[in-house]
Amino acid sequence: MSAQHRTASVARTPVQQAALLVGAVFLLVGVLGFIPGITTDYDTMKFAEHDSEAKLFGLFQVSVLHNLVHLLFGIAGVAMSRAVSTARTFLVGGGVVYLALWLYGLLIDHDSAANFVPLNTADNWLHFVLGLAMIALGVLLTRRTRTGAAR
């Protein structure tokens, strides 16, 4: 097998690269959420309660559960980036999940037990932007591939 053939067989498509990048960012954010200093008020972090006052970068409210979800989502993105179809599913499906989380964050009382993740206003709007961006990446980066396959 030539070096050129080996390189071509492991080259990632743009949608796979996007899923890998998004997954890696989620892994990084999940790890950073457990680092005092990067996460302010770290000593107030709870497992899954609205009164966890820990904030990633002093802005985004986090808890142990919130950080674990970021880590698991990151692992899923990295794993699903291995194939075009699963990379697209990760981006579009993950985007839909984040838009649902945005709506949930808008509808619940942030000071109630329903805010178990927990979420604050900064989280809500980040989830909105993430949801739209992930769906756009999944759809736009596979448009040419899907159109070309139909011909």
Side-chain angles (χ1 to χ4, degrees):
M1 185 183 308
S2 71
Q4 183 181 13
H5 182 48
R6 278 194 305 267
T7 303
S9 66
V10 296
R12 293 184 187 265
T13 64
V15 74
Q16 289 174 283
Q17 291 172 356
L20 181 62
L21 178 64
V22 170
V25 168
F26 273 102
L27 281 171
L28 178 63
V29 167
V31 169
L32 292 176
F34 288 114
I35 299 176
I38 295 174
T39 298
T40 59
D41 298 319
Y42 186 83
D43 58 329
T44 68
M45 187 181 299
K46 308 283 188 198
F47 179 77
E49 299 174 29
H50 69 280
D51 59 348
S52 179
E53 292 300 321
K55 291 189 175 102
L56 183 61
F57 306 122
L59 188 60
F60 303 103
Q61 190 173 9
V62 293
S63 65
V64 173
L65 176 63
H66 205 145
N67 292 333
L68 290 175
V69 168
H70 287 146
L71 289 170
L72 292 172
F73 204 72
I75 290 168
V78 170
M80 294 176 79
S81 73
R82 293 183 181 154
V84 171
S85 63
T86 54
R88 183 178 196 278
T89 298
F90 169 74
L91 291 169
V92 174
V96 169
V97 167
Y98 271 94
L99 288 178
L101 190 57
W102 166 67
L103 285 173
Y104 179 77
L106 290 179
L107 296 174
I108 62 164
D109 177 0
H110 287 182
D111 293 323
S112 73
N115 190 15
F116 65 93
V117 175
L119 304 168
N120 64 10
T121 301
D123 288 308
N124 290 339
W125 293 105
L126 177 62
H127 293 154
F128 175 71
V129 171
L130 276 172
L132 291 180
M134 289 176 70
I135 291 169
L137 285 169
V139 170
L140 296 175
L141 294 178
T142 55
R143 253 177 87 172
R144 181 179 298 151
T145 304
R146 294 171 65 81
T147 303
R151 288 184 188 169

